[in-house]
Amino acid sequence: MPDPPRISGSGLAVPLRILATTDMHMNVLPFNYLTAQASDRLGLARTASLIEARRAEVRNCLLLDNGDFLQGTPMGDYVAQKAEAASHNRDPHPAIAAMNALNYDAASLGNHDFTFGLAYLRQVTAQARFPFLAANLEVLRGKGFAGYVILRRMVTDGRGQQVPLNIGIVGFLPPQTVDWDCDLSAELACDDILASARKIIPEMRMNGAQIIVALAHSGIGSTRPSPRMENAAAALAGVEGIDAIVAGHTHEVFPSQTFAASAGIDPVRGTLLGKPAVMAGFGGSHLGVIDLTLMPRDGGWRVAAFTVRSEAVPANMPASPEIARPVLTTHRATLRHLRRRVGRIESPLNSYFSLIGHDPGLQLVNMAQRWHVRSRLRGTEWEGLPLLSAAAPFRAGGRGGPDYYTDVSAGRLSLRNLADLYTFPNRICAVRISGAQLRGWLERSASLFLPVQPGSKDAPLLDPDFPCYNFDVIDGVTWQIDLSRPARFTADGDLAHPDSQRIVGLRWRGLPVGDEDAFLLATNSFRLSTCGLFSPLVSGNQVALAEGRLTRDILRHYVRIRRRIAVSGAALWSFRPMPGTSVRFETGPRGLTHLADVEGLQSRLELAGHSDDGFARLRLHL
């Protein structure tokens, strides 16, 4: 383990270690509720053991969290539902209990911390013995959150002497937060990260902050500023007065040998525009460590040297009993809740091959969405429109790792299985779209795939920067994707190749879809926000059903009413044939036992090895 940096010959130097977690998403214990198995990758209780070890190495240390702590596992959902049902709830929230036990110094809020509503977030954060920060957030009614805090500490310098140090901690979250949780737009306003920083950093300095650490619940992004950047950590480093940055939101690891270098971004040294920065994965997978050496300057302090690392929590790291113990009662209650039976499924549901057109679990979600919207709009002006339904795979590998897939066996269905099928607490909505917008929707989804030259062998198929939760599959129509053409849009929704059209053969009930045709699309509340990949398609459209029931609740009711569910394995879409061409993609190794279930593709799929990080590599002949 590298030693903290030192300035040779100077006893005046003050070493300061900053430990950072981010995107915990309610992974308090090392347990995967969706597979009902212990996890050696996730859990704050495991990270806690590494935190204590790294704290013990130094005399001056801060522990910070960078947001998205409140939502993400069935335990978080269960606790929130229990609090909503109770007239008053004084039970300590398990995440806050764990963070209090670890003696966090400060935390930023993330966008998913607002998933269960502002009132619930206030109730939970009031239990914390440390401040939650959100400098670019304005609460329009009632008590808000502090933008920053100045920690006035006595620290030990190189001579062993105690000296005062005022450490400013400021928090930022994506300005799109209110748009994503559109039911909170009457309660919250969220400003641009960079504009807010330029106002508040000088204020912090005037109020005595000698060193400033920015908790940016934001991806690294570009060093070039642009209005309302979602991923603004790199550009934020350009704001004068910030000394170090903790990034998050995108679940990446920085510094890292696998992170792409670019102008102003050094993924080896761990710097953004020359300033130390760290991003510690998600769910407790890593611990961010920034070691600063501070030297006196003009009555204050400057960063004279630093080292940065994002340290993976070892697989054999034991869980801290002090962190796990207060959570066990809620953990066991969550397991009992998830074991409740809701129905039966006739065939397996898994997402191992979702990104090549086979995902029966996604079809079940779409079946439930269409059933709900049809029943809600019966007898209205919308009843006569053709009804389609859009859903995306939430668990399809990627940064989640080789076990991050939905895998439900045929037979009994429990609440745990349904949580596996639909992990986010989104609400069902319905919007009117044209045939042209439908085609545009599918074009944006098809940005997931890299272009493939005809005749190439084992060309990479998937764009690693495109999140699978944006890969919408629309039930009710059929289509093909032409991989020989470049993606019309980037992963961020920018128009990249205006003349390219990947979607071919788009049909409804066997008939070609015309640009002026009208449809009703069942989707989720996130898709109706004013930002995101699909927002340009629906921003001015008529909404037939706004913010209905939670999709998971509808899925549960649908299964319970039908009791026994049969899902067709037929694919809604396929790749346009390219003779003599093959592509390569990765999936979870457990998916190999389901190869025979991939209807229409079995004869064109073959194993091509395994990756160093545990994925199975498959070859698909086009």
Side-chain angles (χ1 to χ4, degrees):
M1 192 59 56
D3 292 328
R6 290 181 172 84
I7 303 298
S8 176
S10 176
L12 298 177
V14 169
L16 176 64
R17 172 166 287 180
I18 299 166
L19 301 178
T21 56
T22 190
D23 295 273
M24 293 307 304
H25 285 291
M26 276 303 296
N27 286 283
V28 182
L29 297 178
F31 190 84
N32 187 329
Y33 292 94
L34 302 181
T35 62
Q37 295 177 339
S39 171
D40 62 359
R41 294 171 57 91
L42 304 173
L44 181 59
R46 291 176 63 253
T47 317
S49 298
L50 184 59
I51 288 170
E52 291 307 316
R54 296 295 166 256
R55 266 178 170 161
E57 296 171 345
V58 296
R59 288 189 257 187
N60 308 315
C61 189
L62 295 179
L63 177 60
L64 309 172
D65 183 76
N66 200 29
D68 273 7
F69 75 99
L70 191 56
Q71 179 275 333
T73 70
M75 181 165 73
D77 299 339
Y78 172 74
V79 173
Q81 291 166 3
K82 183 180 175 183
E84 184 179 9
S87 57
H88 63 280
N89 180 35
R90 297 182 180 178
D91 295 336
H93 190 279
I96 296 297
M99 295 173 81
N100 281 339
L102 271 167
N103 293 313
Y104 273 81
D105 293 282
S108 177
L109 290 173
N111 54 292
H112 282 293
D113 295 325
F114 294 86
T115 295
F116 302 116
L118 179 59
Y120 180 68
L121 178 60
R122 281 189 179 125
Q123 173 189 323
V124 170
T125 54
Q127 302 174 3
R129 296 197 293 263
F130 53 91
F132 278 92
L133 310 172
N136 60 324
L137 181 77
E138 180 185 2
V139 176
L140 302 179
R141 293 196 300 267
K143 184 179 179 181
F145 299 91
Y148 66 89
V149 64
I150 298 177
L151 305 174
R152 304 181 189 276
R153 300 291 171 83
M154 297 299 294
V155 294
T156 304
D157 67 13
R159 303 166 300 180
Q161 300 295 314
Q162 292 282 292
V163 295
L165 178 64
N166 298 339
I167 310 164
I169 313 293
V170 60
F172 302 98
L173 69 167
Q176 295 81 9
T177 295
V178 177
D179 299 315
W180 289 329
D181 287 298
C182 51
D183 57 323
L184 295 177
S185 58
E187 300 179 76
L188 303 174
C190 204
D191 297 327
D192 180 85
I193 291 176
L194 301 181
S196 298
R198 295 186 188 108
K199 293 178 183 177
I200 206 165
I201 299 302
E203 177 184 327
M204 294 174 68
R205 291 288 183 179
M206 288 180 59
N207 287 335
Q210 297 168 309
I211 294 294
I212 293 180
V213 180
L215 298 178
H217 187 82
S218 180
I220 288 176
S222 171
T223 56
R224 296 182 178 180
S226 60
R228 296 184 66 79
M229 295 178 76
E230 176 186 347
N231 298 313
L236 183 64
V239 175
E240 185 178 355
I242 293 176
D243 296 293
I245 291 179
V246 178
H249 183 54
T250 56
H251 297 191
E252 295 171 288
V253 176
F254 184 91
S256 167
Q257 293 182 347
T258 61
F259 198 98
S262 60
I265 298 174
D266 186 339
V268 176
R269 191 169 177 235
T271 60
L272 302 176
L273 295 176
K275 294 179 182 178
V278 74
M279 191 192 309
F282 74 101
S285 63
H286 292 71
L287 177 65
V289 184
I290 300 177
D291 281 308
L292 303 177
T293 296
L294 308 179
M295 291 291 292
R297 181 180 65 181
D298 301 329
W301 298 88
R302 65 180 177 89
V303 176
F306 60 83
T307 62
V308 186
R309 66 182 185 273
S310 191
E311 187 174 353
V313 180
N316 61 354
M317 180 68 74
S320 166
E322 289 77 14
I323 304 305
R325 193 178 299 115
V327 184
L328 288 177
T329 298
T330 305
H331 167 69
R332 293 172 183 136
T334 302
L335 294 180
R336 288 193 298 271
H337 172 72
L338 292 175
R339 284 194 289 265
R340 292 170 57 188
R341 179 179 175 179
V342 291
R344 293 186 65 83
I345 190 73
E346 300 294 332
S347 56
L349 306 175
N350 65 76
S351 61
Y352 294 114
F353 308 100
S354 183
L355 305 184
I356 62 169
H358 180 84
D359 192 337
L362 213 57
Q363 291 187 29
L364 176 56
V365 172
N366 275 324
M367 288 163 61
Q369 289 186 165
R370 293 177 74 180
W371 166 77
H372 175 69
V373 171
R374 186 179 291 112
S375 63
R376 285 290 306 275
L377 298 181
R378 189 172 290 119
T380 70
E381 60 180 303
W382 308 104
E383 185 176 19
L385 284 181
L387 177 59
L388 312 177
S389 180
F394 294 135
R395 288 165 42 81
R399 293 170 188 160
D403 297 326
Y404 194 66
Y405 292 86
T406 293
D407 193 343
V408 179
S409 301
R412 173 178 173 173
L413 275 178
S414 66
L415 289 179
R416 177 177 66 83
N417 301 138
L418 298 189
D420 194 350
L421 285 172
Y422 206 95
T423 58
F424 288 101
N426 295 331
R427 298 181 181 274
I428 294 182
C429 302
V431 61
R432 186 186 190 276
I433 63 170
S434 68
Q437 290 171 327
L438 171 61
R439 188 182 303 274
W441 201 291
L442 296 173
E443 283 287 354
R444 290 168 186 268
S445 289
S447 302
L448 167 71
F449 304 109
L450 297 170
V452 176
Q453 187 71 25
S456 59
K457 306 297 182 184
D458 289 355
L461 176 64
L462 305 176
D463 181 350
D465 293 327
F466 190 99
C468 62
Y469 59 73
N470 270 342
F471 182 63
D472 271 5
V473 173
I474 298 182
D475 194 6
V477 290
T478 58
W479 67 98
Q480 287 189 324
I481 298 174
D482 187 349
L483 294 177
S484 69
R485 302 177 182 180
R488 183 176 174 86
F489 299 95
T490 68
D492 294 328
D494 296 329
L495 189 61
H497 298 91
D499 297 328
S500 182
Q501 297 282 350
R502 283 184 155 184
I503 303 303
V504 296
L506 178 60
R507 294 178 177 271
W508 174 74
R509 294 187 177 179
L511 301 174
V513 173
D515 287 352
E516 302 304 319
D517 292 343
F519 298 91
L520 199 62
L521 182 66
T523 181
N524 63 64
S525 51
F526 188 83
R527 291 292 186 257
L528 298 191
S529 65
T530 58
C531 58
L533 181 63
F534 302 96
S535 60
L537 297 172
V538 297
S539 58
N541 289 26
Q542 292 176 286
V543 176
L545 182 64
E547 297 195 68
R549 301 278 299 278
L550 287 172
T551 305
R552 282 192 310 224
D553 290 344
I554 297 307
L555 185 58
R556 183 177 71 249
H557 293 321
Y558 181 76
V559 171
R560 276 180 171 162
I561 288 173
R562 276 150 180 76
R563 299 179 68 84
R564 301 180 73 92
I565 302 291
V567 180
S568 168
L572 299 172
W573 65 274
S574 62
F575 296 116
R576 194 172 192 178
M578 297 172 64
T581 307
S582 66
V583 293
R584 172 178 43 83
F585 70 97
E586 294 180 342
T587 190
R590 287 200 297 268
L592 299 178
T593 62
H594 296 284
L595 281 173
D597 301 329
V598 187
E599 189 173 319
L601 294 177
Q602 306 97 321
S603 62
R604 295 193 280 129
L605 277 173
E606 58 190 29
L607 181 64
H610 291 81
S611 69
D612 293 338
D613 47 0
F615 285 94
R617 287 188 174 134
L618 292 181
R619 178 181 297 114
L620 173 64
H621 295 276
L622 297 175

